[in-house]
Amino acid sequence: MKKLTDKLPVYLYPGYYCSNYEGATCAFSDKICGKDGICVGVYKYGNCQRSADCYYGNFCESGKCVPELKSSQFCMSHEACGRQGYCLHSNADVNFGYCVQYASIESNSTYPILAFKNGQYLYQENAEKVCKSGWLNKSTGKCAPALKSKNKGQPCNFDSDCPTSDSSVNASCKCSFSGALICDISGGDSEWTDAFDKFQAYIEKTKEYHSSEYMGSCMESQEYRDWFCAEFEAKHFTELQSKPS
């Protein structure tokens, strides 16, 4: 019997192999490892309580397992859009969005991808991942070219001390681990581009997994760890820096 991971237990979704792994538990639907060695789930149009009860390729809608949606179809959740899709809410006046493939929207496209309300665009977590550049301008709500921070890691007092490759945009001046103020990175810097490349590799590698895992570990895949760590380091760039010389 193969040991799936050192961090037990591992919760498996319907359609996942369950008989070959030590410490793996069928956690949804009837919570049974079938005679064929696959976690039992609910088939298309069967009754469900949540998407995790359905077999791969389906999600739960109005109590029934139904096929995952295609790009541009209306959605209520990321699960509805499958492993390679994202439910983007670009209209603040309705409670549904539409499915968009990751890394599919060009920079400076005609319409904003973020919802607009009370004079500002509302950021939706991970929305930048539908942009081909992996970056969006939160002030315009549109996918944008990823800029480079010219003074990343250098001392600063204000954001204006942290110019980018676009003279009209500054990177942030933030506290480092030591308490010193330094310039943060921007989307075109190697830390962020590396993280986005690894995110795309993770999505491609795990495209056959259950949509309910969303951006989860997918049985502790190496691609997940690579992406998660790279994005963590990019998000916390300034906090991880020592006092600049």
Side-chain angles (χ1 to χ4, degrees), residues 7 47 144 175 238:
K7 188 175 181 180
N47 296 327
C175 282
T238 57

Side-chain angles (χ1 to χ4, degrees), residues 162-228:
C162 305
T164 69
S165 48
D166 181 339
S167 60
S168 67
V169 179
N170 293 318
S172 298
C173 182
K174 293 183 176 180
C175 282
S176 66
F177 179 77
S178 66
L181 288 169
I182 61 173
C183 292
D184 198 3
I185 55 176
S186 193
D189 287 303
S190 58
E191 293 84 357
W192 272 118
T193 56
D194 178 59
F196 191 53
D197 287 345
K198 287 176 177 174
F199 169 74
Q200 293 179 83
Y202 154 72
I203 288 295
E204 177 63 25
K205 181 70 174 182
T206 60
K207 63 184 178 182
E208 301 297 329
Y209 283 77
H210 203 288
S211 63
S212 288
E213 294 220 36
Y214 184 42
M215 294 184 186
S217 65
C218 293
M219 302 205 299
E220 300 292 326
S221 71
Q222 182 62 50
E223 288 75 16
Y224 168 78
R225 292 192 289 273
D226 290 344
W227 158 61
F228 184 89

Side-chain angles (χ1 to χ4, degrees), residues 12-215:
L12 304 180
Y13 290 80
Y16 285 19
Y17 286 101
C18 47
S19 60
N20 298 332
Y21 300 106
E22 176 187 340
T25 302
C26 296
F28 306 98
S29 187
D30 293 332
K31 301 181 180 180
I32 296 173
C33 184
K35 293 181 180 179
D36 55 0
I38 295 175
C39 289
V40 172
V42 179
Y43 287 100
K44 185 167 63 175
Y45 305 130
N47 296 327
C48 55
Q49 294 183 328
R50 53 189 171 181
S51 293
D53 293 334
C54 305
Y55 272 113
Y56 164 83
N58 298 282
F59 72 102
C60 191
E61 182 177 61
S62 301
K64 298 289 184 181
C65 289
V66 296
E68 292 169 353
L69 304 176
K70 298 179 181 180
S71 291
S72 300
Q73 289 187 292
F74 293 133
C75 53
M76 298 289 288
S77 68
H78 298 308
E79 295 169 323
C81 301
R83 285 290 303 160
Q84 295 185 295
Y86 180 90
C87 188
L88 185 66
H89 293 265
S90 58
N91 187 338
D93 296 324
V94 296
N95 63 355
F96 58 83
Y98 62 97
C99 292
V100 181
Q101 293 292 296
Y102 290 117
S104 65
I105 299 180
E106 299 285 353
S107 295
N108 299 318
S109 53
T110 304
Y111 300 104
I113 65 169
L114 297 182
F116 189 79
K117 190 171 185 178
N118 298 327
Q120 62 181 352
Y121 286 99
L122 309 177
Y123 175 66
Q124 184 181 347
E125 186 177 15
N126 291 311
E128 67 278 355
K129 291 180 173 62
V130 304
C131 302
K132 282 189 174 181
S133 65
W135 203 252
L136 61 80
N137 185 329
K138 295 179 184 179
S139 63
T140 65
K142 295 182 179 181
C143 292
L147 307 178
K148 290 187 176 182
S149 178
K150 291 185 175 181
N151 294 338
K152 73 174 186 179
Q154 297 302 306
C156 59
N157 291 307
F158 308 100
D159 288 354
S160 57
D161 297 325
C162 305
T164 69
S165 48
D166 181 339
S167 60
S168 67
V169 179
N170 293 318
S172 298
C173 182
K174 293 183 176 180
C175 282
S176 66
F177 179 77
S178 66
L181 288 169
I182 61 173
C183 292
D184 198 3
I185 55 176
S186 193
D189 287 303
S190 58
E191 293 84 357
W192 272 118
T193 56
D194 178 59
F196 191 53
D197 287 345
K198 287 176 177 174
F199 169 74
Q200 293 179 83
Y202 154 72
I203 288 295
E204 177 63 25
K205 181 70 174 182
T206 60
K207 63 184 178 182
E208 301 297 329
Y209 283 77
H210 203 288
S211 63
S212 288
E213 294 220 36
Y214 184 42
M215 294 184 186

